[in-house]
Amino acid sequence: MKNFGYSMLWFWIAYIIVTNIGVLHTIFNIKVLHMKSMKESPGMGEGYEKTKPWHPLYNVVIFPIFAYLYLHGLEIVTLTEVMATSLIWGTITVVFDLFGWVLIKHPWSLTFREFYIDYQPWITLIYITIYASPFIAYGFMRI
């Protein structure tokens, strides 16, 4: 990878934006649409459950944009760089999600089952999207 720090800057900006969109969507559902929260219904609550199908869509829009910004900033973009970015971004997401959403307990944390089984097919689609985002960006750069 030619510029790991620059890559991480764009990755973490994308990750934070996507996470905040998901949280804000859940809050909107609860406060504005009056859906049940996790305190009022089983699991993470109706407000969160209704956002799940949207999660891959947030990622398929946001991550390719930031992959494009990273790749566009390089002098030369090679397929090797695209593959390295894909592997690093996707793997960091999988590992960070394990710690941030499952292992470290907080009000919105999930159990292993809730995150990796009950969250199907959404979590798999999210990971595929993040691994694919540098390739999507590279495709747009080639047009």
Side-chain angles (χ1 to χ4, degrees):
M1 178 162 273
K2 293 181 183 165
N3 193 333
F4 184 75
Y6 191 53
S7 170
M8 289 297 90
L9 172 69
W10 291 123
F11 166 79
W12 286 111
I13 291 171
Y15 189 94
I16 289 166
I17 288 171
V18 164
T19 301
N20 283 328
I21 290 170
V23 168
L24 291 171
H25 189 176
T26 300
I27 292 168
F28 176 84
N29 284 353
I30 293 166
K31 298 293 184 185
V32 177
L33 301 179
H34 307 290
M35 292 182 189
K36 294 179 181 175
S37 70
M38 56 195 256
K39 292 177 184 176
E40 304 163 327
S41 61
M44 290 299 291
E46 178 190 23
Y48 169 75
E49 293 297 324
K50 296 290 186 180
T51 69
K52 284 181 176 181
W54 294 92
H55 296 179
L57 297 174
Y58 309 150
N59 285 273
V60 82
V61 170
I62 300 298
F63 269 93
I65 291 170
F66 287 90
Y68 177 87
L69 291 171
Y70 167 64
L71 295 171
H72 187 70
L74 300 176
E75 281 186 43
I76 300 170
V77 179
T78 64
L79 195 53
T80 302
E81 184 71 25
V82 173
M83 289 187 289
T85 304
S86 168
L87 184 63
I88 291 168
W89 284 23
T91 304
I92 287 173
T93 302
V94 170
V95 172
F96 188 79
D97 281 355
L98 173 63
F99 283 91
W101 295 108
V102 178
L103 297 179
I104 298 172
K105 299 303 175 198
H106 53 82
W108 287 38
S109 65
L110 301 164
T111 66
F112 188 87
R113 177 179 176 74
E114 287 170 330
F115 196 74
Y116 294 104
I117 296 171
D118 298 343
Y119 194 18
Q120 293 297 338
W122 315 118
I123 192 62
T124 298
L125 293 172
I126 289 166
Y127 290 154
I128 289 169
T129 297
I130 294 170
Y131 278 107
S133 65
F135 293 99
I136 295 167
Y138 183 67
F140 277 108
M141 293 175 79
R142 308 275 302 175
I143 294 175

